[in-house]
Amino acid sequence: MSAQTQGAPDAAEVVLAARNVAKSYGNVHALKGVNFDIHRGQVTTLFGENGAGKSTLMKILSGVIRPTSGQIILDGQPVSFASANEARDRGISIIHQELSLAPNLSVRDNIFMGREIRGPLGVDFAEEERQVRLLMEELEEEIDPLTPVEELRLGQQQIVEIARALSVDSRILIMDEPTSALSASEVEVLFKVIRDLTAKGVSIVYISHHLEEALTITDHAVVLRDGTMTAYAPRAEIDLDWIVRNMVGENYDLGSPPDSARRGIALSIRGLSVPDATGKDLVRDLSLDVRAGEIVCIYGLMGAGRTELLETCAGRLRASAGEIVLEGQEISHLSIAERIARGLALVPEDRQRDGLVQTMSVGQNLSLASIRDFTRGLFTSRRAERKLIEDSIRSVTVKTAGGAAPIGSLSGGNQQKVVIGKMLATKPRVILLDEPSRGIDIGAKAEVFRLLAEGARQGLAVIYSTSEVGECLSVAHRIVVMHKGRISAEFDSTVTKEKIMAASGESVAA
């Protein structure tokens, strides 16, 4: 470790440590001799850009993968985990950044999958259900244990993932982006749980791209950059500037509204209502016009109806009332593919489930939505497809070994750029992005917003949703606030965070 990373020794006992840990995938060095300590009863926050090696290090510590070289020390003794189950048996659990739930199974069955509670007559489903109800009470979530996971919204699925890790009663808990899909109130509850756990001596490793949020919970911070630890400091010595400076080398911002000519109305939403399965309106009588060259941000808390609005425009959900008009043509009757062909594209919130095909390569994912452009009858022009892939990788700056690389080999931020690049390759005139920065670092965020600004300059109409108020005040020309399925306020880019939060029904004090 360099002098910068040594810092003052922490008084708390080190329960798990990495010593000179390296991990290579062929010629790619994901980790380069990292030293990392986890202290008893403390929260260690790990910061770094996408691709810095954070998730790789955590997977090694939790037994998911093995290091190429180096040692893992548990309670002062070298250990080698053959699997995540073996690490879990030693008290180490991980909440992965990307959800690993079985959508067709119930909440109860997901939480106890592979470690069912046995009774004299087989699996004791009643006891499992009782324990799940207790976990949901602790997390202050009204989720029925017998509900299929696929019926839950993304934030609730994240809660189930957290509950599964808590149910193991671990002494070391690794949280990789646990709040990426949570509302502000759900984050508060999770932080209360974390404080209760550390008070009982549980050690927490916390990874987050929400920098301000992470500072409220951490005891000390470590920064990884390009597979190397670049900085360590206790909480009293760090602030946002310290984190960003050590992560990316300079103070990034997310840009400002582009100087683009806003022309005619590209998308008009008129009196739109969208019901849930019970008939209750998730979006109610909503109207909104967006011009070519304009960037509109839709802000709201979880459950405000942002996702339902965008998915209905894209054709994934059906409206019970209203019209969707694209460049003067009513499109509510069109399929998703027909809307894409007309120039309307959606980048979904859950990139793993809805945005990518995990068995395909980077290039195949990029070209998938544009396949009609290089296919004639039964024949595909490989040259045309290859050019589209190369142009897309270059234009959205995907860091990859090439189009043939597996999509799973990319960091979260680069996977998100593949999803955006795939939809931009369809040459849309209106693009909808649902939480485009979810789970990506500040550098990747800046690149995503740069892409949106560049698109607007070229006449693209951009609508993006966010639950981070700071992202409203970046590239958006106009901020539309949603609350309980309706538009509660509209602002220009000079508005304050406090006014946005107040219009959303969020407590400003929070």
Side-chain angles (χ1 to χ4, degrees):
M1 246 185 276
S2 67
Q4 185 186 19
T5 63
Q6 287 280 9
D10 203 296
E13 176 190 355
V14 174
V15 291
L16 183 66
R19 290 290 174 261
N20 298 312
V21 165
K23 181 65 179 178
S24 299
Y25 298 95
N27 294 326
V28 177
H29 302 287
L31 294 174
K32 307 167 186 174
V34 169
N35 293 285
F36 182 78
D37 293 340
I38 299 174
H39 302 272
R40 185 179 306 281
Q42 292 193 356
V43 178
T44 301
T45 301
L46 184 58
F47 294 107
E49 290 191 274
N50 287 109
K54 306 183 302 299
S55 294
T56 301
L57 177 59
M58 295 305 103
K59 286 176 181 177
I60 289 172
L61 293 177
S62 60
V64 176
I65 59 176
R66 293 189 175 189
T68 304
S69 61
Q71 279 190 322
I72 305 301
I73 311 294
L74 178 64
D75 297 325
Q77 299 296 319
V79 293
S80 178
F81 300 128
S83 67
N85 286 341
E86 192 173 307
R88 188 181 66 196
D89 291 343
R90 300 291 295 272
I92 304 167
S93 292
I94 183 169
I95 300 169
H96 293 284
Q97 177 180 354
E98 305 296 350
L99 299 179
S100 56
L101 302 172
N104 60 318
L105 298 182
S106 68
V107 171
R108 178 200 65 196
D109 292 345
N110 267 279
I111 288 176
F112 286 99
M113 188 189 305
R115 50 184 194 84
E116 291 79 5
I117 298 175
R118 298 283 175 177
L121 302 177
V123 177
D124 190 342
F125 292 114
E127 176 59 19
E128 289 184 355
E129 186 175 337
R130 187 190 70 82
Q131 291 192 24
V132 172
R133 291 191 187 280
L134 290 175
L135 284 167
M136 292 305 155
E137 284 179 19
E138 183 180 3
L139 293 167
E140 298 182 21
E141 280 287 333
E142 294 182 0
I143 299 176
D144 190 302
L146 302 183
T147 303
V149 162
E150 62 191 356
E151 295 181 8
L152 302 178
R153 60 178 173 80
L154 187 59
Q156 291 175 314
Q157 291 183 22
Q158 186 79 66
I159 291 290
V160 174
E161 191 84 66
I162 292 166
R164 182 164 65 181
L166 294 177
S167 71
V168 181
D169 199 24
S170 302
R171 59 196 187 104
I172 299 167
L173 183 54
I174 298 167
M175 298 183 167
D176 192 354
E177 290 287 345
T179 66
S180 61
L182 301 187
S183 66
S185 59
E186 288 168 335
V187 171
E188 283 188 21
V189 173
L190 177 62
F191 282 6
K192 176 179 177 295
V193 170
I194 289 174
R195 293 185 185 99
D196 290 345
L197 289 172
T198 54
K200 297 173 185 175
V202 176
S203 306
I204 305 288
V205 180
Y206 190 86
I207 300 175
S208 179
H209 294 310
H210 299 283
L211 307 186
E212 293 181 65
E213 172 189 287
L215 284 177
T216 67
I217 196 68
T218 192
D219 291 304
H220 43 89
V222 173
V223 179
L224 276 180
R225 188 176 181 186
D226 295 328
T228 303
M229 188 184 294
T230 60
Y232 162 85
R235 173 64 185 90
E237 298 177 14
I238 65 177
D239 56 19
L240 285 175
D241 288 343
W242 181 92
I243 297 168
V244 174
R245 185 172 64 252
N246 284 291
M247 274 177 57
V248 297
E250 58 181 291
N251 207 337
Y252 272 73
D253 65 40
L254 298 180
S256 56
D259 185 16
S260 54
R262 278 162 274 174
R263 300 186 284 275
I265 294 173
L267 182 69
S268 183
I269 303 165
R270 302 171 182 169
L272 195 71
S273 292
V274 183
D276 64 11
T278 67
K280 177 186 175 183
D281 279 339
L282 301 172
V283 177
R284 292 184 290 165
D285 193 25
L286 185 145
S287 297
L288 176 67
D289 289 336
V290 182
R291 295 183 175 275
E294 183 180 27
I295 301 179
V296 173
C297 170
I298 300 179
Y299 176 79
L301 305 179
M302 289 291 177
R306 296 172 293 124
T307 293
E308 291 78 13
L309 171 63
L310 298 185
E311 291 194 345
T312 303
C313 289
R316 299 184 67 183
L317 297 177
R318 289 295 172 188
S320 58
E323 290 184 320
I324 302 164
V325 180
L326 178 65
E327 295 187 326
Q329 300 294 316
E330 218 285 331
I331 62 168
S332 299
H333 61 287
L334 299 182
S335 68
I336 295 174
E338 289 169 332
R339 296 184 201 205
I340 292 174
R342 292 284 185 94
L344 178 64
L346 169 69
V347 174
E349 179 181 22
D350 190 338
R351 61 176 172 264
Q352 292 294 322
R353 184 184 67 186
D354 302 324
L356 299 169
V357 180
Q358 297 299 323
T359 55
M360 287 185 171
S361 66
V362 171
Q364 289 169 326
N365 271 281
L366 280 166
S367 65
L368 186 60
S370 305
I371 194 167
R372 69 182 188 279
D373 293 343
F374 44 82
T375 302
R376 296 292 179 269
L378 299 176
F379 300 98
T380 298
S381 171
R382 295 299 180 192
R383 177 184 294 180
E385 182 182 16
R386 189 161 52 249
K387 183 178 188 305
L388 181 145
I389 291 168
E390 291 171 354
D391 289 348
S392 294
I393 289 174
R394 186 166 52 252
S395 66
V396 298
T397 60
V398 179
K399 294 178 182 176
T400 176
I407 192 66
S409 68
L410 302 188
S411 66
N414 281 293
Q415 288 185 10
Q416 182 71 340
K417 284 192 279 185
V418 167
V419 180
I420 294 172
K422 175 180 72 172
M423 301 319 299
L424 289 176
T426 67
K427 300 180 177 61
R429 291 183 288 282
V430 177
I431 189 166
L432 315 171
L433 304 100
D434 193 2
E435 293 274 9
S437 67
R438 187 177 78 83
I440 64 176
D441 65 72
I442 190 170
K445 279 185 186 182
E447 290 187 29
V448 166
F449 282 97
R450 176 190 61 78
L451 288 171
L452 303 187
E454 183 57 34
R457 289 190 190 96
Q458 296 175 12
L460 181 65
V462 177
I463 307 171
Y464 72 92
S465 75
T466 183
S467 54
E468 288 190 49
V469 69
E471 291 183 5
C472 298
L473 304 174
S474 54
V475 298
H477 297 104
R478 185 159 48 114
I479 297 115
V480 172
V481 183
M482 288 187 67
H483 178 61
K484 294 183 178 179
R486 295 180 180 271
I487 292 177
S488 57
E490 288 193 30
F491 303 106
D492 63 21
S493 59
T494 63
V495 70
T496 63
K497 289 184 180 181
E498 289 75 18
K499 286 185 177 179
I500 296 172
M501 293 167 69
S504 72
E506 186 173 0
S507 168
V508 176

